[in-house]
């Protein structure tokens, strides 16, 4: 099978996996999606390691890569040096037919490591396959976790540089320091006065800037992305849905073929979209539960069919979900509209012009057959942290708490896996509040110590000692200065 990738807006010729990875996104707008979603018999993977599961799941998407190349990519990404546990990702029971999928055992304590440790391997091989001898400048917008995970994945890679933009004052102190202390000769981290949507829109504008792209090309440089707008970032995330389901089969919690739910804390819609692709490949999923915080644009959309970003932006204790433009929703709508590129183009023209669009009742019906949406306020998320700790001594971060609370509202008695996206040590001040332990100073690193003493388990290596590292990146710019900042990097 020759797997090719097409644009959600029908404005690009079909490309190979390698071309989709190196380009990042469709230059004239739109996102690459697989020409068809492969089907699979996942029952054959029961009992296999994460690495072998990854090879099996990824192979049909990576036409043009041979078996040894795919195995090399997987082996370089998922090993004892990069992940703290041999399972790579672990599914833990918390009672009551609920489970937590821990995706934060990688180098930066966030689920983004699951894809951003393998993506540099994809990029290295893809450049060779495309005959691309240019220097790659990776442009990243982050709401907190993608930035550090991308920096760790790409730092000191030959032929690649990376520039990360994050919202000034819009990430936790731990997230900020993780990025600001990053070493590597090829890394740049820049704070932007604005929110994540401003950063993301700014990066998308840079990709669509023909004059800037030509200037870069004249210097032997091409742009690419490590955000989930890049298919090479998104497709590895399919793997852990498959592995978690099979782990439940292995433990005897379910029999293969039994349907389960996954509840996903959602901002940019990439993580939950990977679950959708797993479902389309044949994984027995009943529903995906889309959990949002007070920035509940997605919850409203799934209930009404109206996507309206013209609303107040809230800074919350789950900052990686503080997003009003969920980029990967475009891929989902492409599928829900019967791959209607013209419809998608019209919707996103309206979003760019008016900040909103609406879909018909037929599409609302299709969406709601697959996805159930809820949003959770700060008080309920804090209460959820406390109640789970009191019930089974399990400590979770603020984003996972949003998902855990949302899962409790879902109808049905099937098992539910809550997708845990970060170590509680990354958001220690608010986790302590949830546990009912006052943090007098609000100092995140004092809170890390107190969280450890409360019984939260070992301090994650990404946080331990972070306060003592030298700050290497402290630049702050306005949104209007992003273009000149990139020109300076050229």
């Amino acid at each position: 099978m020759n797997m090719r990738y097409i644009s959600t807006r029908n404005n690009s010729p079909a490309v190979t996996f390698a071309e989709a990875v190196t380009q990042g996104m469709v230059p004239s707008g739109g996102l690459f999606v697989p020409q068809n979603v492969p089907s699979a018999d996942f029952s054959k993977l029961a009992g296999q390691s994460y690495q072998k599961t990854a090879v099996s799941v990824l192979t049909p998407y990576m036409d043009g890569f041979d078996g040894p190349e795919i195995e090399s990519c997987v082996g370089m990404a998922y090993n004892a040096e990069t992940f703290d546990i041999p399972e790579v990702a672990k599914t833990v029971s918390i009672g009551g037919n609920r489970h937590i999928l821990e995706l934060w055992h990688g180098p930066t304590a966030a689920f983004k490591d699951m894809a951003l440790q393998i993506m540099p391997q994809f990029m290295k091989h893809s450049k060779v396959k495309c005959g691309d001898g240019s220097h790659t400048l990776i442009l990243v917008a982050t709401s907190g976790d993608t930035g550090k995970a991308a920096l760790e994945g790409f730092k000191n890679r030959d032929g690649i540089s990376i520039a990360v933009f994050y919202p000034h004052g819009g990430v936790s102190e731990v997230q900020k320091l993780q990025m600001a202390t990053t070493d590597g000769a090829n890394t740049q981290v820049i704070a932007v006065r604005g929110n994540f949507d401003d950063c993301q829109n700014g990066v998308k504008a840079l990709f669509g800037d023909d004059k800037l792209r030509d200037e870069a090309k004249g210097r032997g440089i091409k742009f690419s992305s490590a955000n989930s707008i890049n298919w090479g970032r998104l497709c590895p995330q399919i793997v852990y849905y498959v592995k978690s389901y099979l782990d439940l089969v292995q433990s005897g919690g379910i029999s293969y073929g039994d349907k389960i739910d996954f509840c996903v804390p959602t901002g940019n819609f990439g993580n939950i979209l990977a679950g959708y692709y797993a479902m389309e490949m044949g994984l027995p999923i009943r529903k995906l539960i889309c959990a949002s915080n007070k920035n509940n644009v997605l919850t409203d959309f799934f209930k009404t069919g109206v996507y309206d970003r013209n609303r107040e932006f809230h800074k919350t204790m789950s900052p990686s979900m503080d997003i009003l433009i969920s980029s990967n929703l475009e891929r989902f709508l492409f599928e829900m509209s019967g791959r209607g590129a013209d419809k998608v183009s019209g919707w996103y023209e309206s979003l760019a012009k008016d900040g909103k669009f609406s879909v018909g009742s037929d599409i609302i019906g299709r969406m709601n057959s697959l996805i159930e949406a809820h949003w959770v306020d700060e008080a309920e998320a804090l209460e959820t942290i406390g109640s789970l700790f009191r019930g089974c001594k399990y400590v979770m971060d603020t984003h996972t708490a949003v998902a855990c609370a949302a899962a409790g509202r879902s109808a049905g008695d099937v098992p539910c896996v809550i997708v845990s996206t970060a170590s509680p040590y990354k958001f220690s001040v608010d986790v302590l509040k949830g546990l009912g332990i006052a943090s007098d100073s609000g100092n995140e690193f004092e809170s890390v110590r107190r969280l450890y003493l409360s019984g939260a388990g070992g301090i994650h290596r990404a946080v331990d000692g972070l306060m003592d590292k030298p700050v290497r990146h402290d630049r702050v710019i306005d949104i209007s200065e992003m273009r000149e900042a990139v020109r300076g990097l050229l």
Side-chain angles (χ1 to χ4, degrees):
M1 178 182 69
N2 293 321
M3 173 67 79
R4 292 293 182 266
Y5 292 84
I6 58 177
S7 169
T8 52
R9 304 186 195 181
N10 194 29
N11 56 355
S12 169
V15 299
T16 64
F17 178 83
E19 290 168 331
V21 169
T22 55
Q23 289 185 42
M25 67 176 287
V26 180
S28 53
L31 303 177
F32 288 116
V33 292
Q35 205 162 35
N36 50 73
V37 179
S39 59
D41 180 2
F42 294 123
S43 65
K44 296 177 180 178
L45 300 178
Q48 297 291 329
S49 66
Y50 193 91
Q51 293 82 354
K52 288 186 177 179
T53 303
V55 170
S56 295
V57 172
L58 293 173
T59 294
Y61 289 105
M62 297 178 64
D63 191 55
F65 284 65
D66 61 30
E69 286 174 321
I70 297 173
E71 289 171 6
S72 173
C73 289
V74 168
M76 292 293 288
Y78 307 117
N79 55 60
E81 290 184 8
T82 51
F83 286 85
D84 292 336
I85 57 173
E87 305 98 316
V88 181
K90 182 166 66 173
T91 303
V92 179
S93 175
I94 55 172
N97 223 10
R98 293 192 304 166
H99 311 269
I100 288 187
L101 171 57
E102 295 179 348
L103 298 176
W104 40 261
H105 292 285
T108 75
F111 83 98
K112 308 298 175 76
D113 292 323
M114 302 299 296
L116 283 165
Q117 282 299 304
I118 197 168
M119 192 179 169
Q121 306 301 323
F122 291 165
M123 186 71 73
K124 177 180 71 174
H125 288 278
S126 294
K127 288 184 69 175
V128 173
K129 291 180 185 299
C130 293
D132 185 356
S134 65
H135 189 91
T136 300
L137 175 56
I138 294 177
L139 303 175
V140 178
T142 183
S143 56
D145 287 334
T146 291
K148 179 58 178 176
L151 289 162
E152 279 302 301
F154 285 101
K155 74 178 184 183
N156 294 325
R157 301 274 180 180
D158 291 339
I160 296 175
S161 296
I162 178 168
V164 171
F165 298 91
Y166 73 92
H168 183 53
V171 300
S172 76
E173 186 66 16
V174 166
Q175 289 175 313
K176 174 185 172 182
L177 278 179
Q178 278 190 300
M179 291 185 283
T181 59
T182 300
D183 56 4
N186 64 337
T187 61
Q188 289 285 336
V189 180
I190 302 172
V192 178
R193 296 182 186 94
N195 59 40
F196 169 74
D197 290 326
D198 296 321
C199 295
Q200 182 168 247
N201 289 337
V203 167
K204 286 181 178 178
L206 295 172
F207 274 97
D209 189 325
D210 292 338
K211 188 174 180 181
L212 182 65
R213 202 164 60 243
D214 289 344
E215 182 178 346
K217 187 176 180 181
R219 296 173 181 268
I221 299 170
K222 289 184 180 178
F223 297 151
S224 190
S225 171
N227 284 92
S228 55
I229 56 176
N230 190 320
W231 178 257
R233 216 320 274 289
L234 196 143
C235 69
Q237 297 178 247
I238 300 170
V239 177
Y240 50 72
Y241 286 93
V242 176
K243 188 64 170 67
S244 180
Y245 183 94
L246 294 175
D247 284 348
L248 290 182
V249 172
Q250 282 298 107
S251 68
I254 58 174
S255 298
Y256 192 86
D258 291 347
K259 293 208 170 186
I260 70 170
D261 292 342
F262 282 92
C263 185
V264 191
T266 310
N268 218 15
F269 209 75
N271 198 3
I272 195 168
L273 184 68
Y276 164 77
Y277 281 113
M279 181 192 296
E280 288 298 292
M281 290 179 75
L283 195 67
I285 298 174
R286 183 190 74 111
K287 274 200 173 183
L288 296 164
I289 302 167
C290 177
S292 298
N293 63 17
K294 199 173 182 180
N295 293 294
N296 57 351
V297 63
L298 284 168
T299 310
D300 286 348
F301 174 64
F302 282 108
K303 293 187 185 306
T304 67
V306 177
Y307 193 100
D308 188 353
R309 63 146 306 181
N310 301 309
R311 59 181 66 208
E312 184 180 355
F313 178 89
H314 301 282
K315 289 186 178 181
T316 74
M317 66 182 186
S318 47
S320 296
M321 302 162 67
D322 292 348
I323 295 172
L324 293 180
I325 301 178
S326 303
S327 287
N328 276 290
L329 184 66
E330 179 169 342
R331 286 184 167 114
F332 185 64
L333 287 173
F334 179 72
E335 304 293 352
M336 292 299 97
S337 63
R339 306 203 131 197
D342 291 341
K343 287 184 178 179
V344 171
S345 296
W347 291 329
Y348 280 84
E349 284 174 13
S350 295
L351 184 64
K353 181 182 176 184
D354 303 319
K356 62 182 179 180
F357 64 84
S358 62
V359 301
S361 58
D362 55 335
I363 291 177
I364 296 173
R366 285 182 209 138
M367 294 191 306
N368 289 342
S369 70
L370 301 171
I371 290 186
E372 184 177 325
H374 301 283
W375 75 273
V376 175
D377 64 21
E378 307 276 90
E380 186 176 358
L382 289 172
E383 171 56 30
T384 303
I385 291 171
S387 62
L388 186 61
F389 182 69
R390 291 189 295 272
C392 59
K393 299 301 179 186
Y394 189 91
V395 180
M396 60 185 166
D397 85 293
T398 48
H399 304 74
T400 308
V402 169
C404 193
R409 300 182 192 170
S410 179
D413 56 0
V414 302
C416 182
V417 175
I418 296 150
V419 179
S420 181
T421 56
S423 164
Y425 284 108
K426 293 196 78 167
F427 305 94
S428 57
V429 173
D430 290 307
V431 172
L432 279 180
K433 287 180 189 173
L435 298 180
I437 302 172
S439 177
D440 297 333
S441 64
N443 182 288
E444 289 198 32
F445 294 97
E446 172 59 21
S447 297
V448 165
R449 186 186 71 83
R450 297 183 72 177
L451 189 56
Y452 172 73
L453 293 175
S454 74
I459 300 174
H460 195 288
R461 58 184 161 130
V463 178
D464 195 19
L466 179 61
M467 187 171 60
D468 301 322
K469 293 182 178 180
V471 171
R472 301 171 183 270
H473 309 274
D474 58 4
R475 187 176 178 189
V476 183
I477 65 173
D478 291 327
I479 301 161
S480 60
E481 297 175 287
M482 289 177 66
R483 187 180 190 279
E484 284 306 305
V486 170
R487 287 193 72 237
L489 298 179
L490 301 183

